[in-house]
Amino acid sequence: MKAHNMDFDVIVVGSGMSGGIAAKEFCEKGYKTLVLDRGEPIEHGQYKTEGLAPWQLPYRGEVLTEFKLQQHIQKNIYIYNDFTKHHLINDLENPYEQKQPFIWYRSATVGGKSLIWGRQSYRWCEQDFKANKRDGHGVDWPVRYPDIAPWYDHIEPFVGISGSYENLPQLPDGKFLPPQSLNVVERDMKAKVEQAYPERKFIPARMANLSKANKVHTDLGRVQCQARSECSRGCSFGGYYSSNSAALPAAKRTGNLTLIANAQVQEVLYDDVACKATGVRYVDSKTGKSHSISAKVVFMCASTLGSVQILLNSKSTTFPNGIGNRYDILGRYIMDHCGGGGASGKISGYLDDYYKGRRPGGVYIPRFRNLENTLSIAKSTNNQTENGFLRGYGFQGGASRSGWQWAKNGQGVGVDFKAKVSQPGNWYFSMWGFGEVLPRFENRVMLHSTKTDQWGLPILVTDVVYKDNEKNMVDDMTATAVEILVAAGLEDIKGFEGYAPPGGAIHEMGGCCMGHDVTSSYLNKWNQCHEVANLFVTDGSAFSSTSCVNPSITFMAFTARAVDYADKQLKAGIL
Amino acid sequence: MNRRQFLVNLSVVLGCSVTSINSMVIAATSAFDSETMKTGFTEKQLECIKLISDIIIPHTDTPSASEADAHLYVDYYVHHFMTPDERIKFVGQFDNLLNANPSFLDLSASQQVNSIEILDGDMYQGSEQTTFYRKLKQLIVIGYYTSKIGATQALKFDPIPGPYQELKLSEVGRVWF
């Protein structure tokens, strides 16, 4: 297929979780595809801190104050250290304003957050897509599970998800690689917890780490996960899925991909006469020069807030408040997962048992609160708010033996101290929740009226707050986690609370919600802008609710589905 | 000019109480560029840290802290990583230990061990002395166990462990780095 009078067939803005898949799918269908990413270029296999031992960095992984000041937001991310900091932006150069506290973690490289993600991968379920309609919060999703299920089937084998088959309605099974194994302590905990609470399933975390490499992976140079647990430095083995290790190389080998890094997209260009998007304008962040590029179709995959920011800034005579934003819906319903409530405790015994390797993930306890059609409903007089909140949450966790790190702040001197440090300590188990946040019209981001960044893009203002539903849910996480660890027979159990501000779970979603009509939503059921037929948004901003499971695999599934639809429309001559 | 006075003077030059980011960056850069800062601890100070390091992590079937150059890591960290404020505080507290009467270095070997054991026993007390000791011990522990010798001999180190496997502790022998 050739671009007629256009620079490209398709422009994809962003090369992360969604953009990588958009690029791969379009390139494989024969479209000349341009990917623009605001980050620095990075070559798969040339990750500069990969494989370095601690003694090879001057401060053994600790980050100088100088950098922490430059990354005063990013420094709080759980993977932040001297091995990973260059994968995150400089906050001083990328300001935003928090009308209400919002932690905005942002990638500094091509591949976006796919390079540094947590890799937990779960399907949404039918109840998730019905949730908004059922309780009246947010806009009703224009899709249901059967619409997206084939696209999970399509994307999971390519990504490579390890998982066990559990036959749970709230957590549909997928096309899995062999599951990670639970360790001996976790197996015994599983038996006790599931006996005490049959609806609380204790299963291996489903991870985008290759428990086994199939041909689709080895063809791209990917091999089995080496259990280094250094994913966020980048992995030349391709042991975990990233755009850099999988989607972008797959796109590149078709010969149809053009990728430009350091390209800060400013706006989607709109033709008021033809009523179509004509391309995008970007600033080369190294030269400061502005470039306009045309294409038949534009896919926005610039991250949830990144896409919203660019779309709000895409102003025309028809759309003075941002392209496709006639009804002040763009930037509304910003969500994240609430969470952090959990517990930890000690397991006595098992002192002869140990392991080799740092497992990419541990245990997952799928949602068990407020379920539509499972054991918990049958057993209780449940209604939706039995526990003081709507919707639900899941737990992540794991058991391991304590290492040498206690010695950094621990007591002891001499031969005995050294001998104690040289042996693993007790087994400990920790678990923490991720909960579904209600979509609220008033939770929004907008452009600052006067301040711009150094490239001229108006900075984003966040105005997102959690309310009682989230607080009650997080409280329940803490109480329930304690209850579960008691049932599992743990000692020294400590519940903990976690009221991280929005953004803290790095699962931000919403802003360009999918829905049934133009007055209440931004996108239709194909991730297509209601008002601009050749403009698609397929990252987290398209999501009308959040489920309680980690969202990335679902971003990818929706992206692949939207590309398939756009392809059919292009071939039919409609786009 | 003694070292302490030098650091105090330097702190004025570098603006230790700076709150503005720009001057912090300048301060950090200057710390890297200054020849004087690179010299780090005096011989006497370094000798003292070496002694304390080996009291905390002595030579056994595996090398001691100083054999893994943990004392040099402390030196490097104090003079390159710490902010000027942190450095002056740390070195000042250290000098108090050195300049006490009798000085730590003048004690007999068993008295030295004894005094470190006392400090260690009180390490959570929060006095100036124990706060200094806690930071010093932390740097020694990190300096040793993240060194090549510490990580690969005193602990078990495997950069590419391959797939996760359950094993008996006896098959591994030591704690993993």
Side-chain angles (χ1 to χ4, degrees):
Chain A
M1 196 163 303
K2 256 189 160 172
H4 297 289
N5 307 319
M6 295 279 184
D7 298 322
F8 289 89
D9 293 321
V10 181
I11 294 172
V12 177
V13 181
S15 65
M17 215 46 97
S18 308
I21 293 298
K24 168 193 175 283
E25 297 287 317
F26 272 121
C27 286
E28 288 179 349
K29 291 177 192 296
Y31 293 95
K32 294 294 175 194
T33 304
L34 172 67
V35 175
L36 297 170
D37 195 286
R38 69 194 290 282
E40 296 277 340
I42 188 165
E43 280 298 315
H44 177 60
Q46 315 220 333
Y47 303 112
K48 67 181 188 183
T49 56
E50 183 185 7
L52 289 183
W55 57 86
Q56 291 174 293
L57 285 195
Y59 311 113
R60 313 281 167 96
E62 209 179 325
V63 180
L64 279 169
T65 305
E66 173 189 353
F67 292 108
K68 287 187 175 169
L69 290 167
Q70 291 170 3
Q71 297 185 300
H72 59 93
I73 306 280
Q74 311 304 312
K75 73 174 165 54
N76 299 308
I77 198 168
Y78 68 103
I79 55 139
Y80 187 79
N81 58 43
D82 217 15
F83 295 95
T84 59
K85 67 178 190 304
H86 54 290
H87 290 164
L88 295 153
I89 56 149
N90 178 327
D91 292 304
L92 299 181
E93 293 175 353
N94 296 276
Y96 67 100
E97 203 164 283
Q98 303 175 54
K99 197 170 166 191
Q100 297 288 345
F102 191 100
I103 306 178
W104 190 9
Y105 292 124
R106 282 181 283 176
S107 154
T109 68
V110 166
K113 291 198 286 278
S114 81
L115 197 57
I116 53 174
W117 66 310
R119 297 158 280 103
Q120 303 248 352
S121 301
Y122 305 98
R123 289 190 177 201
W124 285 36
C125 68
E126 180 68 0
Q127 185 177 357
D128 292 328
F129 290 105
K130 285 183 185 166
N132 287 359
K133 187 170 191 183
R134 186 181 176 197
D135 62 32
H137 292 270
V139 295
D140 180 30
W141 279 87
V143 294
R144 291 293 184 261
Y145 182 69
D147 298 311
I148 196 67
W151 297 97
Y152 283 121
D153 290 347
H154 173 77
I155 210 71
E156 283 163 348
F158 175 74
V159 171
I161 311 291
S162 65
S164 55
Y165 292 88
E166 303 285 346
N167 198 26
L168 300 170
Q170 73 273 38
L171 197 77
D173 293 331
K175 291 192 177 293
F176 295 145
L177 300 173
Q180 305 185 96
S181 51
L182 299 181
N183 60 43
V184 58
V185 168
E186 292 162 348
R187 289 193 296 274
D188 288 355
M189 286 180 70
K190 174 183 171 74
K192 289 178 189 167
V193 171
E194 291 183 0
Q195 189 180 12
Y197 302 102
E199 74 284 12
R200 300 180 190 177
K201 299 294 178 192
F202 201 92
I203 70 171
R206 294 174 178 174
M207 304 299 298
N209 288 74
L210 298 181
S211 54
K212 174 174 173 267
N214 289 329
K215 186 164 185 299
V216 64
H217 310 120
T218 54
D219 281 352
L220 289 165
R222 300 182 62 197
V223 300
Q224 187 181 27
C225 169
Q226 297 300 308
R228 297 187 290 179
S229 193
E230 292 167 0
C231 307
S232 45
R233 302 183 192 183
C235 180
S236 298
F237 294 101
Y240 73 97
Y241 173 88
S242 65
S243 273
N244 313 70
S245 68
L248 294 174
K252 200 173 169 184
R253 70 183 169 186
T254 65
N256 292 322
L257 174 71
T258 304
L259 186 140
I260 303 180
N262 295 315
Q264 170 69 63
V265 172
Q266 303 284 301
E267 59 179 321
V268 176
L269 302 169
Y270 182 75
D271 183 330
D272 289 294
V273 177
C275 300
K276 285 178 105 173
T278 56
V280 304
R281 183 175 65 80
Y282 74 90
V283 171
D284 182 322
S285 57
K286 293 294 171 200
T287 66
K289 280 192 183 148
S290 192
H291 303 269
S292 293
I293 302 212
S294 60
K296 293 178 197 165
V297 171
V298 175
F299 261 58
M300 294 300 297
C301 303
S303 83
T304 291
L305 298 194
S307 286
V308 171
Q309 185 178 21
I310 293 165
L311 293 168
L312 283 168
N313 194 47
S314 304
K315 295 174 180 176
S316 57
T317 310
T318 311
F319 298 115
N321 300 315
I323 189 166
N325 188 30
R326 203 187 300 273
Y327 298 96
D328 184 25
I329 200 70
L330 182 58
R332 300 283 186 177
Y333 300 108
I334 299 293
M335 304 161 282
D336 184 21
H337 283 144
C338 61
S344 60
K346 188 180 101 179
I347 300 100
S348 60
Y350 302 94
L351 295 177
D352 297 334
D353 293 300
Y354 206 25
Y355 42 76
K356 179 174 192 269
R358 299 174 287 276
R359 217 172 28 164
V363 169
Y364 190 66
I365 301 178
R367 175 174 167 182
F368 49 87
R369 289 292 196 218
N370 303 329
L371 292 182
E372 240 173 13
N373 51 357
T374 64
L375 287 170
S376 71
I377 299 287
K379 270 176 57 179
S380 71
T381 56
N382 191 310
N383 61 44
Q384 291 173 31
T385 57
E386 179 200 24
N387 306 293
F389 56 87
L390 295 163
R391 311 204 184 186
Y393 58 85
F395 284 115
Q396 297 177 12
S400 58
R401 293 189 74 165
S402 66
W404 63 275
Q405 288 84 352
W406 67 269
K408 290 179 192 173
N409 292 297
Q411 268 180 315
V413 164
V415 175
D416 292 347
F417 174 69
K418 199 179 168 195
K420 196 175 161 196
V421 181
S422 76
Q423 294 297 312
N426 283 304
W427 287 86
Y428 291 90
F429 185 90
S430 291
M431 58 193 285
W432 53 91
F434 286 85
E436 181 165 1
V437 164
L438 291 179
R440 295 185 179 90
F441 183 75
E442 64 276 18
N443 277 347
R444 64 186 298 204
V445 295
M446 60 213 119
L447 297 182
H448 198 283
S449 56
T450 54
K451 287 184 194 165
T452 61
D453 68 17
Q454 58 183 303
W455 301 285
L457 189 62
I459 69 165
L460 208 61
V461 179
T462 66
D463 188 6
V464 183
V465 283
Y466 292 159
K467 295 191 172 164
D468 282 351
N469 203 66
E470 288 75 25
K471 187 182 180 303
N472 293 344
M473 189 186 285
V474 173
D475 286 345
D476 191 62
M477 287 175 192
T478 307
T480 309
V482 168
E483 195 176 80
I484 286 172
L485 296 190
V486 168
L490 270 62
E491 298 164 11
D492 302 339
I493 297 167
K494 290 182 186 73
F496 47 80
E497 292 171 342
Y499 300 107
I506 334 176
H507 294 164
E508 62 272 22
M509 287 173 258
C512 303
C513 295
M514 294 168 76
H516 297 282
D517 66 80
V518 65
T519 58
S520 64
S521 60
Y522 189 75
L523 304 171
N524 68 14
K525 65 178 175 179
W526 303 109
N527 292 75
Q528 182 180 30
C529 181
H530 286 299
E531 299 259 20
V532 185
N534 63 340
L535 173 62
F536 292 77
V537 186
T538 74
D539 56 29
S541 62
F543 281 44
S544 311
S545 70
T546 67
S547 172
C548 68
V549 300
N550 306 52
S552 296
I553 193 72
T554 308
F555 298 167
M556 294 188 237
F558 269 102
T559 300
R561 178 175 174 269
V563 171
D564 181 69
Y565 174 77
D567 170 45
K568 286 174 179 149
Q569 296 280 298
L570 282 160
K571 285 188 178 135
I574 297 166
L575 284 182
Chain B
M1 192 191 309
N2 71 25
R3 176 165 187 81
R4 201 167 170 189
Q5 192 55 46
F6 168 78
L7 286 170
V8 171
N9 292 352
L10 189 70
S11 78
V12 175
V13 177
L14 296 181
C16 281
S17 56
V18 285
T19 46
S20 93
I21 285 138
N22 278 344
S23 36
M24 280 308 284
V25 172
I26 292 163
T29 315
S30 307
F32 272 109
D33 292 342
S34 157
E35 275 307 306
T36 319
M37 298 310 283
K38 276 184 189 165
T39 60
F41 286 127
T42 61
E43 257 178 58
K44 190 174 157 194
Q45 287 170 321
L46 212 49
E47 182 58 29
C48 183
I49 290 177
K50 206 169 162 176
L51 276 170
I52 296 171
S53 302
D54 286 353
I55 291 169
I56 295 172
I57 303 173
H59 183 97
T60 54
D61 58 330
T62 57
S64 71
S66 72
E67 287 170 310
D69 286 340
H71 58 297
L72 298 182
Y73 176 72
V74 178
D75 190 18
Y76 189 75
Y77 184 97
V78 169
H79 295 95
H80 292 86
F81 187 92
M82 282 186 175
T83 63
D85 274 348
E86 290 167 342
R87 181 182 307 124
I88 283 162
K89 200 172 149 204
F90 185 87
V91 175
Q93 289 167 346
F94 186 25
D95 279 347
N96 289 345
L97 187 79
L98 273 177
N99 300 334
N101 190 15
S103 165
F104 182 80
L105 287 173
D106 297 334
L107 300 175
S108 71
S110 65
Q111 284 173 323
Q112 285 172 341
V113 171
N114 200 22
S115 67
I116 292 304
E117 282 172 348
I118 290 167
L119 270 175
D120 196 271
D122 292 344
M123 72 185 276
Y124 302 120
Q125 230 177 40
S127 69
E128 189 175 288
Q129 217 178 20
T130 55
T131 305
F132 162 75
Y133 172 77
R134 269 184 78 167
K135 185 67 193 173
L136 176 63
K137 182 178 183 185
Q138 186 184 69
L139 292 177
I140 290 166
V141 165
I142 291 172
Y144 180 67
Y145 289 108
T146 63
S147 71
K148 189 172 183 180
I149 286 173
T152 62
Q153 296 183 43
L155 309 174
K156 188 110 174 172
F157 186 81
D158 188 346
I160 308 178
Y164 181 84
Q165 304 170 49
E166 291 189 80
L167 294 172
K168 289 293 170 191
L169 176 57
S170 55
E171 297 173 88
V172 181
R174 288 177 183 271
V175 70
W176 291 109
F177 172 81

